[in-house]
Amino acid sequence: MTNVSTRQLRYWEKQGYVTSIERDDCQETRLYGFRAYIKVSIIKQHLDDGESLHEAVLSANDQLETVSVMQHIIKKAFQGFEKYEDEFVVNLGFFDEDETQLLYASIDGGKVKYKLVSVSDKNAQSKK
């Protein structure tokens, strides 16, 4: 799937760059999870771009860490889709510590637009 040879994968695993899934069925064929697949793909791309293996692994680790942070933020912030003022918006949760304002995001002309909405305004609008 990644065009990386078995020999390379085993070397990278030996070096601790990737990890295979533990098997209970006594088979020697290694299995790799989705995260390992992504990491191998990133490393391969950096190698194809002329980086050394060490540089490629560092770059892959940085990219995966960035994605992990973004995923965590989105998972915590995303509160759902809502309709506000006749348009669909993404509710990104409370904007302030006092929890009096919500942050909404929407698409307008291909651009992301943000809107602060007071909780009282939202409640008043939803009663209409």
Side-chain angles (χ1 to χ4, degrees):
M1 286 175 36
T2 60
N3 290 322
V4 173
S5 70
T6 303
R7 184 175 177 208
Q8 277 182 303
L9 281 174
R10 297 236 170 128
Y11 176 75
W12 294 357
E13 192 172 351
K14 189 178 194 180
Q15 297 301 312
Y17 301 149
V18 294
T19 306
S20 62
I21 297 171
E22 295 275 331
R23 294 188 69 150
D24 296 334
D25 57 8
C26 299
Q27 298 248 351
E28 289 195 27
T29 305
R30 289 191 171 66
L31 296 175
Y32 296 91
F34 184 70
R35 184 172 173 86
Y37 165 74
I38 295 298
K39 188 171 185 179
V40 167
S41 298
I42 294 169
I43 291 170
K44 172 88 167 71
Q45 181 62 54
H46 285 280
L47 290 173
D48 290 349
D49 290 344
E51 292 183 26
S52 70
L53 178 57
H54 179 73
E55 291 169 333
V57 170
L58 291 177
S59 294
N61 288 340
D62 287 346
Q63 285 178 271
L64 288 171
E65 180 63 27
T66 299
V67 168
S68 180
V69 169
M70 288 173 44
Q71 184 181 29
H72 180 75
I73 289 170
I74 290 168
K75 188 176 180 180
K76 293 292 184 182
F78 179 74
Q79 301 298 308
F81 295 102
E82 298 177 14
K83 195 163 188 181
Y84 181 77
E85 295 180 345
D86 294 325
E87 72 174 326
F88 286 101
V89 296
V90 175
N91 181 341
L92 295 174
F94 291 110
F95 184 75
D96 59 335
E97 287 187 30
D98 294 333
E99 298 185 356
T100 61
Q101 294 182 312
L102 294 167
L103 179 62
Y104 285 160
S106 62
I107 301 291
D108 183 17
K111 294 182 179 181
V112 177
K113 301 285 183 167
Y114 298 95
K115 184 183 293 189
L116 284 177
V117 176
S118 73
V119 173
S120 59
D121 287 349
K122 178 193 177 251
N123 291 339
Q125 202 238 348
S126 63
K127 289 181 183 179
K128 290 181 182 177

